[in-house]
Amino acid sequence: MNTPRLEIDCAKIVANAKQLISILKPHGISIVPVTKVFMGHPAVAASLILSGVKMLADSRIENIERMRHAGITIPMMLIRTPMLSQVERVVLNCEISLNTELIVIRALSKAAKSAGFLHGVIVMVELGDLREGIMPDKLFDIIRQTLRLSNITLKGIGANLTCRYGVAPQQDNMDFLAKLAKEAETLFGIRFEIISGGNSANLLWALDLDPHVHNGVNQLRLGEAIYFGVEALYKHPIAGAHTDIVTLVAEVIESNIKPSIPKGRRSINAFGEMPQVIDRGQVKQGLLALGRQDVNPLGIIPPRGITIVASCSDHLVVESAGVALQVGQEIRFKLDYSGLLSAMTSPYVSKYFYH
C-alpha cells in the first residue's frame, strides 16, 4: 500500500457510535455524529448509519454534498453558520442548519421558498466560550423574527463550548440553556424539538446526570468521542470504547548515525524557528517521508522507542533508541484530533477504510 497513509477501521467507528448511543439514551440525549474530520467521507457516513444514528452533521457544505453525491440520504445538519453565498446549496442538501445571524436566516427562508423546501433552523446561544452564538438577551427577538419567516421551521436552540477558550460544559451553563429554551417555549407558545447542548466536551457533564432527571438538553454533536474513544475535555478514554480507530503509516527513506549538534553558524529554519539543541552525542537518526504538508507534527504520537525531533515540509526527523531504522521500514503512528484533521485534508496522504 502507498505511504504515507491513514488506515481507518470502520467497524470500530460503528462500535463506538453504538456505545455512545446506548450510554446517552438513559439521559434523554441523542447523538449527531460530525463527519468533518473525515471530510464527509462516504465510508464513514455509511458506518455511522449502520450504528443506528438518525442524522449526520458537518461544518462544510462541500462535505455534505460529497455524501449526497455518494447516495447518503439520511438527514444532514450544517453546524457552521451558513455563508450567505451558499444558502441555496444549504437548503438543497441540509435539513437543518445552526444559525446566529438573522440576515442569514432570512436568506435561507428566501432560498427555501424558491426551492419549495422547508428548512430547519437551530439558533445558537453564546454561553461564554465566545465563538458562535447570539447573546442571551437578544435571543427572544431573534426567535420572534425567525418564527415570522416562511419555509423556516425553528427546531430549537443550541450552544457550543470549549472550542475557543476551553470553557467547560457544566451543570450551570447547561441548565441556563435549558432555562432559555423553556422561557422561549412559554413566551411564544411553541415546543422545541431540539436543545443541542454541544460537542464531545459535554460527555463528562452528560454522564454525570441522573438518568431519571432530564434537564431538557437532548442532543450532542459528537466527533472526537466517536473517532478517538475519548471525552474532549481531558482526553480520558471512554470505558469500553476503541481508541485505535485511525493509524498513520509512514516510510523510512534514510537511516544514519549522525551528531545531535548542528555544525556551522545558525539562523532561523524554513519555518522561522530556532530549535533548541542539546548535545546527545551520536544518535540513530531516521528520515521519514512525512512532512508538515502531510500532517501537523504536533498531532502524531510515535511508537515506543522512537522520538520525533524535527519536521520540515517533506520530512519527519526521528531518533530510535534501539535498533537503527531500515530504509523502506514502515512506522505506525497514533494521532490526536489535530493530526487526523490535517492528514485527512492532505492530498498526499492515502486513505484506506476497512471493516
Side-chain angles (χ1 to χ4, degrees), residues 24 44 83 157 177 185-187 194 223 230 254:
L24 290 172
V44 172
M83 301 183 205
I157 64 173
L177 180 65
E185 289 176 334
T186 301
L187 180 62
I194 298 169
V230 300
E254 179 185 305

Side-chain angles (χ1 to χ4, degrees), residues 62 76 90 109 133 140 147 207 222 225 246 255 257 281-282 305 311 321:
E62 295 85 355
M76 296 282 181
V90 172
S109 169
F140 294 161
L147 289 171
L207 297 179
L222 303 183
V246 185
S255 180
I257 305 296
Q282 297 291 102
S311 63

